[in-house]
Each structure stands twice: as C-alpha cells, then as structure tokens.
C-alpha cells in the first residue's frame, strides 16, 4: 500500500459507527446478570408457589396466573422462574467441561510435537463436523438418560470447537518471538502453555466461551425437551417446555414462559459473545475519528480562475476545478485543473496522500463510497459525440455507462488483486466488449488473443481459459493492460501500474504502454510517485501536493531540471540520475520523497497559505498567510507559488519568475 | 504453491521470453489437474472419518457402565436369559473378536438387531432415513436459497454505510431468530400457522404440504446465521480491488453482484457454513419430535430412552457418514467456485 486510496485516515469516514456493538455487550451482560440474580433468589421467593398444587388445572393466562397453570394446577410463571437455577447451572457445567477438555486437548495437540499435531488436528476437524446433538444422543444412550448424561454429552460435543480454536491460536502465538526465546531458556511445554500462551489467547477463548454457553443452553434444553435430560419431578426450561407442549392444542400459553426464557438467555449470552468480539476488533484497530472541520472550505470552486480557455480543441480530457470531498465536506482533492491532449501521455506525480490516485479515480467515476467529486467542468471529449460529463451527479444512464466503460480504460494499481480470482481470464478480458459493445463471444475472444499477443503474452488462446492465479505476476500486469486496451478506449488511466513491480517487469510494462500509445494514439493519464518512471514515459507532468496541483511542466523541462516550484525542485534534487534506468534500490519512490524533511499536512488541516510552506526551503513570510497565485504562461504549463524558481530562502528571486 | 513462486521468479528475473509453459494437455493434464490431488486427499479423509466413526460406535457398547447384556435383556430378565443374551451378543468373546465381528457385520450391511423390537437396524434405517434426509436436504436448500440472497441484498443495500437502520434491524432480527432453538421455532409455527390459522398440517408426513412447517423450522435459524455471515463476507468482497475493476467496466448490477461477487463470497461463506449445514442434520433430528416426523430422529430418541444401543449405534454411524458426505459436497462446490481451494486446506 504505497499509494493510499483513499488516504488511510479518510477510511475512518466511511467506517460504520461501532456504538451499537458496545451497546450489545452492555445489554447482554445486563441480561445475564439478571438471569444469575433470578437463579439465586427465585427458588426462595417462588419455590413454594412453583410446587403448590392448585384446583384449577390447565388454566389460561389470568391475573393470578400470568402464564397459566399446568396439569396439576401449578403456576407456570413461578415454575419458569424457579427453573432458571437448574438450567443455568447445567449449562455452566457443560460449558466448563467443553472448555476444559477442549483447551486441554488443543494444548496437548500442540505440545505433542509435529506428527501428533497433524493427526490430532485432522481428528478434531472430523469431530467438529459431527452434529453435536447426535453425538450427545449417543453419549446419553451409553449413560442412563438424565441430567448427568446430558451435561457430559453436551460438554463432550462442544469440546472439539475449543480444541481447534486453542490449537489454531496456540500455533499462531507459538510462532512469535517471545515464545521462541522462552523455549530457548529451557521453559517446559506445560509451563510455556500456562505462562506464555494461554494469557495471549484468552480473548478469543472468552468470546467462544460466551457463544458456546448460548449453544449449550439451547442444546441442553433441546435434550430435556426430547425427554432425555432433566427427569421429573425435577424440571428445567426444556422439560417445562416439553410438558407445556403436550397441551399445546388446548392451552398454548403453558409453553410461552419457558420458551421465552430459553430465547432470552440464549440471546443474552450470544450478545455478550458478539459484543466481546466487536470490542476486541475495536481495540486491535483503533477507530480514527474523522475530524469534522469547516475550516478547509477556504476556496470554493468559483474562486479558482477559469483556465480552460486555451486548451486545444482536440484535448481528450478537460478537467477544471476538480474537488473530491469527504462526507464531512473536507476536500481531499482541492481545485485541480488540467487537460490531456490527443495522443498525449500525462503523468501525475506526488507522494502517498497527495490526492493523485483520487484525482484519477474521480476522472474514472470510481470514487470509493463516502467520497464525491465536484468540478466546474470535467468532460471526456469525443469529436463524434457529445462531451461526457464526468462529475454529473445522479445515476448514470445506460449510454453514459457504455461510454465510460468503452472510452476510458483503467489499468489498476495491483494487477494480482484486480483480477477476479474466481473467474477465468477470458471472461474478464472480454466482458466490456460483450456487455457494452455487443461483440460476439467468438469475435471477443479473437480480439482478446490479439491484444494478449500485443502485450507479449505467450500462448494467448490457452491463457484465456486459465485463472488469474495460474499466471505469473508480470503476466498479470500485462494482461491488465491488455484488458484496459481491449475496447480501444480514448483515454487510459493507469494507477501506479509499476509500483509493485521489479525493474525488468516495470520496463516491460512501460514499453507496452508506450507501444499502445504509438499504435492507437491512446491518450494516457499515468499516476506514479516515481520521478524516474514519469520522466521516462510521459510527455507532460502534473505535480500534486496535499490535494492540489502545484506545477505542470513538460517532461523535457523536468529532465533538464527546469522546474519552477520548490516542491518539484526538491523532488528532482532527491532523485539521482533521472536519465538512468531506475535501479532496484530506487524501487520505492516514497523513500526519495522522504528525503524532504517533514510531512504533507492532513487535508483538514491545510494552512491558509501555501500547503508546502512548512517544508519549503524557499519559504517567505507571505507564503504562510496568502494562497499562492497561479502562473500559467500557456495551457498545460503552470506553477502555483509565490516565488517560483527560487531554491532557497536566501537566493535572489529569478527575474523570469515574474513573467 | 512453491511451483507458482518459482515460475514467478523465473519470469521476473530472466528476459521476457521464454515464459512458463501454457496449460498442460493429455494424460499429464489429468495428473496435474488440481482435482487429482484433491480426490486423493479427500479419499484419505473419508477413510479416516469412517474409521473414527466405526471405532466410536463400537466403543459405545464397550464403554457402557454396567452389563450391556442385562440392559439388552430387559429389567425383569432371569440370570439364564442374561447369560443367553450375553452369548447372543457375542459379549463372551474377547474385545478384538467382538470388533472383528462388528466390522464384519458392517461390511455385510448388518447393523445388528434392536434390543426392544427385534427389528433389523438396517431395516429401521432404510425405512426412516429417507424422511430425515428429505427434511435435512430441503432445509439446506432453503438455507442457501434464502440466506445467501438475503445477506447479499442487505450488504448491497447497506454498502458504504447506507441505510443504517436497515442494517441494525437486520442484525437484531437475525440475532434473535438465530438464538432461538429450532424446536421452539417449530412449536411457534405449529401454534400460529398450524393451529391458529389452520393452513398447514402440523404432524406426520402423510401429505406433501406436511413438509412445509418442519423444513421452515429446521431452516429458519441457520438462514439467519448464514445471512449474517454472507452480509459480512459480501461487505469484504465489495471492498476488494477486483470489484472496483468490475465496477470500472460499468457492468449491470446483476452481473456485478451475481457473476463477480457471488462466487467469491460463497467461498468464504461455505468454508464457515459447512459446520452449520451438518449441524442442521442434528436440528432435523430434534425437530422431528415436534412434528411427529417419521424419520430416524424420533426413532433414535425412543431408542436412547430405552437404551436400545444397536439402533443408536446404527443411526449415529449413518448420520455421521451423511455429515461426511455433506462436507465433501461442500468442498467440491468450493473447488468449482474457486480452484485455488483445491490445492490444500491452507486457503481456509
Ligand atoms: S508559495 Fe512559498 S512556501 Fe509555497 S512553495 Fe512557493 S515559495 Fe514555497
């Protein structure tokens, strides 16, 4: 993740709030607490009512007996409350058995060495796949049916889940450094388990414990319901329910009490589990609050002067005053203006978080959720058709979608992640042709083969039938380019296509892009943080900093060091040998940019003046207070700076900068 | 996948040509097909499961506290009857001989004879298993056909933090139904649909519509759990790069979600849901008692109460095999959806 999309911090804005999950834990704990309280006090308070025989049997709901009476005239509400204790006790006991046996088993599998581990894990897997209720039935049959058999049965049936979790977690913890060093110090496996490993896996085990308690409660009540659990004259909820069900047709209210009780208890326990899991997730990934700030709204689009007047008529892409806004109104890309001429390759250069990728995605109408784009003008031009508005809000018409799909080709950042792993290459390559251009399957395949040959992929016919994971990384990169070129788009947007690649593959990708540009005259917008690559491939370069465009210049000027903006100059100074093929050590362009001390400001903390001022070697007092002006000698050339061309604060301001 | 890594390295270091060879053809193709290794591994797995199952069911009689012959002969049996029973059951032989006898019987399709009714266990199972499988398989079908689209629909509707209320309501509702035991759901259905409304039969398997309520009762809980899993998996898949790439192709919604998202979220879902589906077998066993369904469930509950071990043994064995086959089926579906899962369990 060298180039943030969207910048890391801004993902917080699209993350759903976690408050509800915290509430879940509270509700679950409160419910369980109430139940435990009931379990303690209910037999004292309602014990007599629960066993008192009454003259009126099978009563419906009444003021005296809320939930009616059973076959012996006993009050079912009281019986339900009293049954809380045995139900909770038995479930707790079964959960205890499941967790103790499971954790011991899982630990044993790990302690016992690699061979035992392989077999043990396999057996645990088999046991987990076996339905717990049936296993419990088998155990209940061996022992005499009754609460003891059920607790043992449910406990045994639940233990494989604990065993596997323990084994999995232990394996991951055991690989960590501190366990290795403890082992080197001669700490025995049992002590290692108890002192070093168990504490580290306690949290997920706790989650499983509460979820498992809910399951245990349900399974036990199911066994009681089947008549295999608690036997008369004792009773728990499941048994009460089974009895109530016998008079379901005549007096259905008898079943209500125990049914509600089982559901509430199960729900409380699983709420606790879900809540704990959510809390664990929260603490491992601290939520970063998106700071709402209106201060960044300093220059609305209307304040930016219109600079599209001199743009050539054949320009493919014309963007004026593009802004990409977060839901809270913070501008991540702030007033970017540029154009891409016919057949021109324009590079966009900037650090991670400079907004270059967001600019590209806004042009492609592919902004991630929670972000939206505005612009005074953002159009894709086609001599044979209307201009296509790229920032129009509202849903896209079918025609718009077709034009976007066929006129803009996108080369995504990570070719390995950008091919769908479940679909064959052929289907993905030809999809646009088939869906939007009505090309027959056969013809689409023929064109795909032709295009794969063009990007120098061997045996292209067979490749179409392969899955992405069957190709090498370099081939996936070239296939991605082929996919973007297939509909013969007017504009190709390449989002850091070389970032993840080594030198040889990178050179190959650049060659293919250049060849496509020469063959079809395809215009390109090439996003990169690599000064060398941009200088190699592009005709013109846009330099972005903190969401704004700071300089537009020709690659010839860039290579010759004739940049004007202090940021571009600093970039150049940090880049050795621009004309050489970049060496592998230079692969991470960010490191070069890091040679400039300091960091770009967060988008919601941009200073009122020049965003580069805190890092600028040429800074003067005016830079902090006043937004720098745009010097645009010609369409496609501009610099946004108070003191263009100055390399340091002491240097004399060059005279040509006043042009 | 070391081979792929090597290929990668080869392609990256050397000049562009020659590249790794294209896909294999002919007999080599069969041997190199990921399905070959998959079949081998799974065959081993099935054999292991069978061995474990046979061992466990055999142990059931051995580990029974007290004298199995006394249990088998009934409470009022005379000592002579018990002795004869012990001989009939082969309990006077060594454990090894008993095991050999048990396995031999299994190989001949002989699962023993019920202590109580003297029926052959294989006949009982042949009689009743179709009802249970019908219930369980229909239940699984309902779970997949309702739970998966439901979870997807909610995930798509709530993507990028939209419709927070729908999301919260979904989480709450599925949470409540998911933690309600299936036999309570079944009872509720009986009460409301069967008795109050009188729409559908509530007991027995005489008519086809008698299936409706039991299937709903078995499936409702797992539907909710699956829907929650799918909702989460869908959110994960929708955020993937390849989904952005697919959106870039401006595909119609059905193509985007069904063709591009569905196979990927199914792999994640099925890996988790395998247990849920085998658990549904257990649910079917319980639910049969609510609806007086003539499957193995009602019979095995009866047998457990009477400690009729051969029947319990037989049912446990057969349901275990069923669960194993179900898992196999799921893995095959996974392999079809995402061939990468064929090359070992590492992906899961
Ligand atoms: S405006 Fe001032 S601070 Fe900003 S880049 Fe120019 S000289 Fe540096």
């Amino acid at each position: 993740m060298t180039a943030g999309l969207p910048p890391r911090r801004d993902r917080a804005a699209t993350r759903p709030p976690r408050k509800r999950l915290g509430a879940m834990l509270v509700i679950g704990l409160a419910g369980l607490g109430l139940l435990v309280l009931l379990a303690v006090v209910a037999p004292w308070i309602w014990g007599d009512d629960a066993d008192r025989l009454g003259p009126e049997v099978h009563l419906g709901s009444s003021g005296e007996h809320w939930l009616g009476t059973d076959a012996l005239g006993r009050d079912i509400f009281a019986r339900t409350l009293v049954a809380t204790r045995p139900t909770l006790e038995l479930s707790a006991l079964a959960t205890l058995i499941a967790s103790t046996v499971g954790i011991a088993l899982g630990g044993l599998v790990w302690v016992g060495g690699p061979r035992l581990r392989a077999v043990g894990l396999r057996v645990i897997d088999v046991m987990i796949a076996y339905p717990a209720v049936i296993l419990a039935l088998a155990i209940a049959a061996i022992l005499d049916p009754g609460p003891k058999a059920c607790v043992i049965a449910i406990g045994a049936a639940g233990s494989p889940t604990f065993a596997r979790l323990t084994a999995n977690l232990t394996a991951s913890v055991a690989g960590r450094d501190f366990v290795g060093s403890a082992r080197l110090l001669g700490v025995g496996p049992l002590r290692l388990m108890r002192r070093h490993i168990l504490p580290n896996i306690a949290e997920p085990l706790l989650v499983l414990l509460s979820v498992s308690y809910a399951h245990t409660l349900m399974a036990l009540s199911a066994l009681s319901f089947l008549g295999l659990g608690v036997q008369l004259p004792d009773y728990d909820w499941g048994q009460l329910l089974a009895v109530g069900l016998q008079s379901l047709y005549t007096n259905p209210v008898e079943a209500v009490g125990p049914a509600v009780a089982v559901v509430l208890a199960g729900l409380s326990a699983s709420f606790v589990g879900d809540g704990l899991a959510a809390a664990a997730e929260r603490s491992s990934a601290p939520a970063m609050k998106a700071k709402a700030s209106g201060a960044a709204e300093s220059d609305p689009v209307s304040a930016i002067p219109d600079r599209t007047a001199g743009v050539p008529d054949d320009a493919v892409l014309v963007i004026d005053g593009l802004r990409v806004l977060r839901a809270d109104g913070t501008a991540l890309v702030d007033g970017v203006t540029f154009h891409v001429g016919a057949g021109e390759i324009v590079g966009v250069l900037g650090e991670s978080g400079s907004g270059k990728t967001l600019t590209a995605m806004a042009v492609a109408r592919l902004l991630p959720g929670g972000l939206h784009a505005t612009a005074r003008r953002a159009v894709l031009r086609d001599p044979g058709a209307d201009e296509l508005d790229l920032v129009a809000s509202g849903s896209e018409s079918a025609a718009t979608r077709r034009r976007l799909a066929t006129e803009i080709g996108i080369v995504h950042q990570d070719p390995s992640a950008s091919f769908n792993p479940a679909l064959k290459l052929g289907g993905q390559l030809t999809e646009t042709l088939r869906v939007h251009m009505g090309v027959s399957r056969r013809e689409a395949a023929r064109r795909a083969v032709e295009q794969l040959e063009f990007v120098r992929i061997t045996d292209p016919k067979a490749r179409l039938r392969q899955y992405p994971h069957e190709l090498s990384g370099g081939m996936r990169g070239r296939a991605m380019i082929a996919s973007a070129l297939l509909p013969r788009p007017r504009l190709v947007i390449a989002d850091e296509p070389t970032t993840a690649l080594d030198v040889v593959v990178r050179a190959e990708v650049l060659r293919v892009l250049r060849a496509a540009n020469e063959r079809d005259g395809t215009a390109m917008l090439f996003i990169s943080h690599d000064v060398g690559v941009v200088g190699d491939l592009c005709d013109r370069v846009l330099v972005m900093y903190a969401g704004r465009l700071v300089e537009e210049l020709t690659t010839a000027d860039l290579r010759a060091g004739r940049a004007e903006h202090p940021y571009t100059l600093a970039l150049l100074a940090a880049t050795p040998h621009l004309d050489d093929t970049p060496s592998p050590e230079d692969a991470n362009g960010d490191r070069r940019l890091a040679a400039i001390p300091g960091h770009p400001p967060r988008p919601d903390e941009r200073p009122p003046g020049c965003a580069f001022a805190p890092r600028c070697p040429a800074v003067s007092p005016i830079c902090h207070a006043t937004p720098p002006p745009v010097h645009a000698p010609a369409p496609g050339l501009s610099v946004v700076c108070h003191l263009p061309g100055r390399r340091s604060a002491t240097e004399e301001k060059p005279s040509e900068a006043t042009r | 996948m070391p081979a792929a890594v090597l290929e990668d390295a080869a392609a990256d270091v050397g000049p562009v040509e020659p590249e790794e060879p294209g896909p294999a053809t002919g007999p080599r193709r069969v041997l190199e097909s990921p399905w070959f290794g998959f079949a081998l591994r799974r065959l081993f797995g099935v054999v292991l499961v069978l061995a474990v199952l046979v061992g466990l069911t055999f142990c059931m009689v051995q580990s029974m506290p007290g004298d199995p012959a006394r249990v088998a002969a009934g409470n009022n049996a005379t000592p002579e009857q018990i002795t004869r029973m012990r001989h009939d059951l082969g309990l006077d032989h060594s454990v090894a001989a008993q095991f050999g006898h048990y396995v031999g019987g299994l190989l001949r399709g002989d699962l023993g004879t019920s202590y109580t009714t003297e029926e052959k266990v294989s006949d009982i199972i042949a009689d009743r298993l179709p009802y249970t499988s019908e219930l369980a398989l229909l239940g699984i079908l309902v779970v997949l056909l309702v739970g998966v689209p439901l979870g997807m629909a909610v995930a798509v509707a709530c993507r990028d933090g939209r419709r927070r209320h729908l999301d919260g309501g979904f989480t709450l509702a599925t949470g409540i139904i998911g933690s309600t035991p299936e036999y309570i759901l079944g009872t509720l259905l009986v009460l409301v649909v069967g008795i109050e409304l009188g729409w559908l039969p509530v007991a027995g398997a005489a008519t086809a519509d008698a299936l409706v309520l039991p299937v709903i009762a078995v499936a409702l809980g797992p539907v909710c759990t699956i829907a929650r899993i799918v909702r989460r998996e869908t959110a994960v898949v929708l955020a993937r790069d390849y989904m952005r790439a697919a959106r870039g192709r401006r595909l119609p919604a059905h193509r985007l979600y069904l063709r591009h998202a569905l196979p990927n979220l199914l792999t994640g879902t099925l890996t988790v849901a395998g247990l849920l589906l085998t658990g549904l077998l257990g649910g079917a066993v319980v639910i049969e008692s609510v609806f007086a369904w003539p499957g193995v469930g009602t019979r095995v509950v009866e047998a457990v109460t009477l400690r009729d071990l051969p029947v319990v043994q037989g049912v446990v064995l057969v349901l275990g095999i069923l669960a194993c086959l179900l898992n196999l089926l799921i893995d095959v579906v996974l392999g079809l959806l995402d061939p990468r899962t064929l090359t070992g369990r590492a992906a899961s």
Side-chain angles (χ1 to χ4, degrees), chain A residues 565-566 610 612-613 616 618-619 623 628 641-643:
Chain A
H565 195 280
C610 173
F612 188 54
C616 181
V619 64
C623 303
C641 178
H642 286 293
L643 307 157

Side-chain angles (χ1 to χ4, degrees), chain B residues 287-302:
Chain B
I287 215 69
E288 285 178 7
S289 292
V290 177
F291 292 96
W293 190 254
V296 289
T298 39
R299 186 67 180 81
V300 80
V301 169
E302 207 179 295

Side-chain angles (χ1 to χ4, degrees), chain A residues 407-418:
Chain A
E407 294 184 18
I408 300 182
I410 303 166
V411 179
H412 290 277
Q413 195 166 353
D414 181 354
S416 302
S418 297

Side-chain angles (χ1 to χ4, degrees), chain A residues 210-236:
Chain A
S210 35
V211 172
S212 156
Y213 187 76
H215 285 186
T216 303
L217 196 127
M218 286 200 258
L220 269 177
S221 76
L223 287 183
S224 280
F225 165 78
L226 291 175
L228 305 175
V230 175
Q231 307 287 323
L232 285 171
D234 292 331
Y235 54 93
D236 69 347

Side-chain angles (χ1 to χ4, degrees), chain A residues 180-204:
Chain A
S181 15
R183 205 185 267 163
L184 281 180
L185 291 172
V187 180
L190 279 179
R191 190 180 155 80
L192 203 60
M193 191 80 202
R194 191 163 48 82
R195 290 290 302 274
H196 295 272
I197 292 178
L198 272 184
N200 275 294
I201 63 176
E203 206 169 73

